[in-house]
Amino acid sequence: MSNMYKSTEDRRIRRTKRMLQQALAKLMSQKEFKDITVKDITDLADLNRSTFYLHYQDTYDLLEKVENEMIGRFEEMVDDYHSTPNNFSVYKIVDQAFDYLEENMEICRPLFLSNTNSPFLEKLMNVIIEKGFTRQKEVRGDVDPEKLDYQLQFLAYGIVGALRKWFQEEGYLSKEQIVNLLDQMITGVMEI
């Protein structure tokens, strides 16, 4: 019986957190993050402020936890990806990343388009650079670290810029088109 209660409690907690995250995302698309209050979030989520404080210290803590969850998911995707020297296509990982972005569009769009000083985009670029460096060393062995660093910096900024553009233009390029485009660009840069 206690296990049944625990799983119900966990499901309720996950649901509550999701409601708070969705409220934050909606508010971030309407106004600057610095102007969003806990009351704004709880009013929109139709929850008590005390419920908010059971899970988060303040709005910055909520935002940081949302960002860290997303960064963690992207790290998992990269860690699960395996390429070979003969097949460097990143299509599969980019496709998986876009599935995630589309499934979480409500929170992803404001994070990518926000003008807040949130470190989210910097963290994402660091994942691309650090994980890319590790993968390239594993796959290709003998790589010039200076050249690779330039390539990965270029890719990190390019990928984030392309994602921001994709979110801004909402539907101009289909998921399949943007995935193919990014795969071609990433593969092209890494083959230099």
Side-chain angles (χ1 to χ4, degrees):
M1 177 101 165
S2 63
N3 285 340
M4 185 177 170
Y5 176 76
K6 185 179 184 317
S7 66
T8 303
E9 180 182 48
D10 291 345
R11 187 172 49 243
R12 277 192 225 139
I13 290 170
R14 285 193 307 271
R15 182 177 174 274
T16 298
K17 287 181 175 181
R18 186 176 57 249
M19 290 170 63
L20 292 167
Q21 292 171 1
Q22 289 170 339
L24 174 65
K26 186 169 187 163
L27 289 165
M28 285 178 68
S29 67
Q30 297 170 357
K31 58 183 175 178
E32 292 289 322
F33 175 77
K34 66 180 177 57
D35 298 328
I36 297 172
T37 66
V38 171
K39 184 174 179 354
D40 293 335
I41 294 168
T42 56
D43 284 353
L44 186 58
D46 197 23
L47 295 168
N48 294 320
R49 287 173 50 128
S50 59
T51 302
F52 179 95
Y53 289 114
L54 284 173
H55 305 290
Y56 306 106
Q57 294 175 2
D58 54 25
T59 57
Y60 290 92
D61 184 42
L62 169 57
L63 179 61
E64 180 180 9
K65 286 192 168 88
V66 167
E67 292 172 347
N68 288 343
E69 183 180 315
M70 289 181 68
I71 294 299
R73 186 64 191 110
F74 286 122
E75 286 178 326
E76 288 173 12
M77 287 180 217
V78 174
D79 288 342
D80 291 344
Y81 172 73
H82 301 285
S83 62
T84 66
N86 298 331
N87 180 20
F88 183 69
S89 172
V90 292
Y91 182 90
K92 185 177 177 183
I93 191 170
V94 174
D95 186 55
Q96 186 180 11
F98 271 88
D99 284 344
Y100 178 81
L101 293 171
E102 284 186 324
E103 288 169 17
N104 296 281
M105 184 70 74
E106 190 173 81
I107 190 70
C108 290
R109 174 175 277 116
L111 285 177
F112 276 90
L113 298 180
S114 175
N115 292 328
T116 184
N117 289 334
S118 163
F120 173 71
L121 296 178
E122 191 69 34
K123 287 180 190 177
L124 181 59
M125 288 188 286
N126 285 336
V127 168
I128 294 167
I129 293 165
E130 291 168 14
K131 298 289 185 175
F133 192 85
T134 302
R135 287 289 177 209
Q136 283 301 297
K137 286 192 71 116
E138 289 172 1
V139 171
R140 298 196 172 157
D142 187 27
V143 294
D144 177 354
E146 284 296 315
K147 178 182 171 188
L148 182 57
D149 188 41
Y150 276 97
Q151 289 171 306
L152 292 170
Q153 291 281 336
F154 181 81
L155 284 176
Y157 281 88
I159 291 168
V160 167
L163 289 171
R164 285 180 60 103
K165 178 89 171 152
W166 185 72
F167 280 117
Q168 286 170 341
E169 294 190 347
E170 197 174 336
Y172 177 73
L173 291 180
S174 69
K175 175 193 160 216
E176 184 177 314
Q177 290 172 313
I178 189 70
V179 168
N180 281 323
L181 184 61
L182 283 173
D183 179 46
Q184 291 169 7
M185 290 189 290
I186 293 167
T187 302
V189 168
M190 295 313 294
E191 289 179 345
I192 294 174

